[in-house]
Amino acid sequence: MSSYEEGNDSKLMRKVKENPFVPLGLAGFVGIVGHQLYKMKNRGDTKMSVHLIHMRVAAQGFVVGAMTVGVLYSMYNEYIRHPKEEQNTGKHN
């Protein structure tokens, strides 16, 4: 592996460590879409358009939920778990 490829790999792993809910959101999206596509053959009397809309809403809901949890996790890490020195030593006159 060249140093360029190693740099990209480590950058990807660093981004995953910084934002662990992004790959989780993508995996959930792919899982929901795959499950709904598999389920499509047994949808019964449900119209195709309604089934696709339900699939889209479920997948988007999972991604938005993962993004929300990721933002909350990031805020927790930044402000509660590891607060910056400036916030702790606030200037009081």
Side-chain angles (χ1 to χ4, degrees):
M1 208 185 262
S2 71
S3 63
Y4 178 74
E5 291 172 351
E6 289 174 7
N8 284 341
D9 190 38
S10 63
K11 184 177 178 181
L12 174 66
M13 292 308 295
R14 182 174 46 92
K15 291 290 186 182
V16 168
K17 287 179 184 175
E18 288 174 5
N19 301 312
F21 293 96
V22 171
L24 179 68
L26 289 172
F29 176 82
V30 170
I32 288 172
V33 169
H35 175 70
Q36 292 291 336
L37 288 175
Y38 178 75
K39 226 171 84 170
M40 190 183 304
K41 65 181 177 181
N42 299 324
R43 70 181 186 274
D45 294 336
T46 308
K47 286 185 176 182
M48 172 76 81
S49 61
V50 172
H51 184 75
L52 292 175
I53 288 171
H54 288 169
M55 176 176 59
R56 180 184 63 88
V57 168
Q60 282 181 330
F62 188 88
V63 170
V64 168
M67 288 173 55
T68 303
V69 171
V71 166
L72 292 173
Y73 177 75
S74 174
M75 289 173 63
Y76 168 75
N77 276 340
E78 188 172 336
Y79 295 110
I80 296 173
R81 191 170 175 202
H82 302 293
K84 294 179 182 175
E85 284 295 321
E86 298 166 359
Q87 292 173 349
N88 289 341
T89 62
K91 296 180 181 178
H92 299 304
N93 292 333

